Amino acid sequence: MASESVSRAGPSSASVPTGSRVHWVECPRDAWQGLPTRIPTAAKREYLRELLAAGFRHLDLGSFVSPRAVPQMADTEAVLAELERPDGADFLCIVANMQGLERAQASDAVTSVGYPLSLSETFQHRNTGMDTARSWELVEELAAAARRSSIEPVVYLSMGFGNPFGDPWRPSDTAEAVTRLRDRGIERLALADTVGTADASLVRAVLAECDRPFDLGVHLHARPDRWRPVVEAAWEGGVRWFEGALAGVGGCPFAGDELVGNLPSERVLPWLAEVANTAPVSLDALPGLATSAAALADSGRGAAGHA
């Protein structure tokens, strides 16, 4: 386990903005994790350096989970080992258990760990191999242990806008989970539309139930031409923390729609810059980065013409 004296100098929960300032998390991990062909470690690292050079400072860039479950992310340690983290930047990796957290603690580069806590019993079993009761216990254990190593815990409430499995769910269930987590001292919370089925009215309904929606993040999935209504609904509901991936790569294999992916950063960020009158990254760099993201995704799909 990493020493508790390691100085990570990452952002705290207080860094999540309110008002009009946009907090954007770029998610190459979510873009890459389902791709069947391994992307070379050096190619991943070079792409991440390009993101940092363009001003991205909040990156969801790896996961410490079983390499059998997610082979694409098996090289997370190697990617981080030679990736310099700028002062104040947040490098987040996903963990699913205490063993994953120990791997994160061993890397000086990691400043935050994310845990996917599902509001669907079925999805929690599929995603982490445990029931929701045990997951709630684990969240508290992970948060306490992470903070002892100066790592910030982030909880993603997956299936936060309903689920396709027939498990009982209401918007108030998401709000109650938010309150329960905050009561346990966990403030960095993002609501995930895991399968990309939420429309604008459902986003509004969920946020209307939640206390302090301006302190919440949203990790939404959508078809490339359907991102704007849900992003507008979240913005109008008070959300300022958004997540996505360049070229809209990635998403959830349970979506049942191969066109559903992450919010396309190169489209969403200019819109957010217009409504917020500020841009968290270089907008001029986005088209080229989106091209690079699409090329990496093609290589991960084993498409012809890519290494």
Side-chain angles (χ1 to χ4, degrees):
M1 182 180 297
S3 168
E4 295 180 10
S5 65
V6 169
S7 176
R8 299 177 189 272
S12 70
S13 58
S15 68
V16 177
T18 58
S20 62
R21 189 161 56 92
V22 173
H23 178 92
W24 181 266
V25 179
E26 183 65 19
C27 302
R29 185 270 317 166
D30 200 22
W32 297 336
Q33 65 179 0
L35 298 174
T37 301
R38 290 282 293 274
I39 300 172
T41 299
K44 292 179 182 177
R45 192 184 300 121
E46 182 56 32
Y47 176 71
L48 294 171
R49 287 175 177 149
E50 291 177 10
L51 294 180
L52 293 168
F56 287 94
R57 287 298 179 266
H58 303 276
L59 300 180
D60 171 358
L61 45 62
S63 62
F64 296 110
V65 298
S66 167
R68 294 187 301 276
V70 190
Q72 187 66 250
M73 293 290 100
D75 62 349
T76 293
E77 281 98 342
V79 169
L80 290 169
E82 297 183 32
L83 183 67
E84 183 176 353
R85 176 170 53 80
D87 290 344
D90 187 20
F91 284 4
L92 179 145
C93 292
I94 296 296
V95 301
N97 49 41
M98 293 299 293
Q99 290 84 357
L101 176 61
E102 290 170 2
R103 290 171 62 193
Q105 290 170 320
S107 170
D108 295 351
V110 177
T111 53
S112 300
V113 290
Y115 179 77
L117 177 63
S118 183
L119 293 170
S120 159
E121 189 75 49
T122 301
F123 189 69
Q124 192 71 61
H125 273 286
R126 292 190 183 189
N127 203 32
T128 63
M130 65 184 73
D131 60 26
T132 54
R134 173 58 189 139
S135 290
W136 276 94
E137 295 173 353
L138 180 59
V139 162
E140 293 191 66
E141 296 167 8
L142 286 170
R147 288 179 176 135
R148 287 195 292 271
S149 295
S150 300
I151 294 175
E152 277 291 314
V154 181
V155 172
Y156 288 91
L157 282 169
S158 63
M159 302 292 172
F161 297 87
N163 66 85
F165 309 116
D167 294 343
W169 176 84
R170 299 170 299 173
S172 59
D173 294 334
T174 298
E176 289 168 5
V178 167
T179 299
R180 186 177 172 187
L181 287 164
R182 286 173 172 165
D183 287 345
R184 286 156 175 75
I186 300 171
E187 289 290 335
R188 289 179 66 186
L189 308 172
L191 312 183
D193 176 26
T194 312
V195 290
T197 56
D199 58 17
S201 62
L202 184 54
V203 170
R204 291 189 184 96
V206 170
L207 292 174
E209 292 280 347
C210 293
D211 185 39
R212 292 163 38 210
F214 47 82
D215 285 334
L216 294 171
V218 290
H219 185 105
L220 304 171
H221 297 117
R223 283 187 167 211
D225 58 345
R226 296 181 184 175
W227 62 266
R228 184 162 175 165
V230 291
V231 171
E232 284 183 337
W235 178 270
E236 292 165 1
V239 172
R240 298 296 180 265
W241 163 7
F242 295 87
E243 305 198 350
L246 286 150
V249 177
C252 179
F254 300 104
D257 183 344
E258 64 181 12
L259 296 180
V260 168
N262 281 297
L263 298 182
S265 310
E266 71 278 10
R267 300 186 186 187
V268 180
L269 277 168
W271 182 87
L272 288 172
E274 183 176 350
V275 297
N277 199 31
T278 183
V281 302
S282 169
L283 299 182
D284 291 340
L286 295 179
L289 288 170
T291 298
S292 296
L296 273 183
D298 283 346
S299 73
R301 297 184 189 104
H306 295 283

